[in-house]
Amino acid sequence: MSTSVSVDTPEQWRSLSRIPLLASLPEGTLRQLWHGSVPHTAPAGQQLRAVGDPATHLLLLLRGQVSATTTTGAGRVIRFGEWAAPCALDKVAVIDGAGHTATLTALTPCTVRSLPRDRFLGLVEDVAAVRAHVLRVLAGFARRQQQQLAATATLPAHARLSAWLLEQAAAGPGATARPGCRVPLPGSQQDLADLLGVTRVTVNRALARLRRDGLIEVEGRTLTVLAPELLQLRAQG
């Protein structure tokens, strides 16, 4: 990543308040965090961190979108997901100090600020709202890992694809997908295959099956949900 130089304005440091982790902090603290962090920019395709790298700083993503992946010993890429600004990346690694849990790559041009680990841990210890947010993130991470493990062990590819479509098509927490919801692919079909833990050929066949059965439409890199109730049945395997 390259370091950018600019004149700090209130609008800039207040942008930290849009990050859920920092949303409850007073302006004085946000200003301190802004001046205590290092700005960077990264073009699309640039690696921000590699899996196992020391997590000495918390990455605050202010603009852009980032993917998280890892590669197995057999050379297979596993895609954990994508994160869009504004958000804080890989908080788990910064907390336990055992190295980054995934390779973080810019999918679009990104603006990032790096906050030293001790400053972040100080927030966790001193600010109840930050501590509660981190606990929710860790609990959600553990739950998703358990669900993904169960899905990988038991569900066929079209069921995993159906579940992913429903999750992406939902408007927000607690919402449900509606007919006509449009879902962009996370890059290519290979990227989607990495995300679901299957091969590209398997994803292609699963998409063709759902389209043939009238559950989705496929137009380029955009999928349109036609029958969310039937997708829900497929997602249950």
Side-chain angles (χ1 to χ4, degrees):
M1 289 190 292
S2 61
T3 301
S4 62
V5 179
S6 62
V7 177
D8 296 339
T9 67
E11 289 71 23
Q12 288 180 310
W13 58 257
R14 285 195 181 108
S15 66
L16 295 179
S17 67
R18 294 196 289 270
I19 297 175
L21 176 70
L22 310 178
S24 64
L25 297 179
E27 290 188 351
T29 303
L30 291 175
R31 204 179 293 115
Q32 291 174 5
L33 293 179
W34 181 268
H35 292 293
S37 58
V38 180
H40 305 279
T41 59
Q46 185 173 105
Q47 189 179 104
L48 306 182
R49 294 290 188 273
V51 62
D53 280 353
T56 57
H57 291 72
L58 178 68
L59 299 184
L60 304 173
L61 182 63
L62 300 179
R63 180 175 66 93
Q65 192 171 9
V66 171
S67 69
T69 62
T70 190
T71 304
T72 69
R76 181 172 179 177
V77 176
I78 299 175
R79 192 181 185 94
F80 297 121
E82 300 173 357
W83 281 263
C87 67
L89 300 170
D90 208 356
K91 294 178 281 292
V92 173
V94 181
I95 290 172
D96 68 15
H100 280 285
T101 61
T103 294
L104 305 174
T105 305
L107 297 175
T108 65
C110 291
T111 300
V112 182
R113 294 190 77 88
S114 300
L115 181 68
R117 179 173 182 259
D118 60 344
R119 297 292 300 272
F120 170 57
L121 294 181
L123 286 175
V124 174
E125 293 175 358
D126 299 337
V127 183
V130 173
R131 186 162 57 250
H133 175 86
V134 168
L135 288 174
R136 286 194 298 271
V137 168
L138 295 178
F141 177 78
R143 184 180 294 275
R144 286 192 301 274
Q145 288 293 98
Q146 188 176 31
Q147 292 171 341
Q148 290 173 359
L149 179 61
T152 301
T154 61
L155 293 179
H158 73 273
R160 291 184 231 173
L161 175 59
S162 298
W164 178 82
L165 278 167
L166 290 170
E167 179 182 350
Q168 297 301 309
T176 57
R178 299 183 306 277
C181 289
R182 295 165 62 84
V183 177
L185 285 175
S188 65
Q189 286 193 13
Q190 183 61 59
D191 293 326
L192 179 57
D194 295 339
L195 184 62
L196 298 178
V198 298
T199 66
R200 185 188 62 80
V201 172
T202 300
V203 160
N204 186 273
R205 290 173 179 169
L207 286 169
R209 177 177 177 180
L210 294 180
R211 179 172 55 183
R212 183 181 65 245
D213 293 344
L215 276 62
I216 64 171
E217 284 183 350
V218 180
E219 184 177 354
R221 293 187 175 183
T222 301
L223 311 177
T224 301
V225 174
L226 302 178
E229 298 86 358
L230 297 179
L231 272 179
Q232 184 62 54
L233 293 176
R234 296 290 179 92
Q236 297 170 3

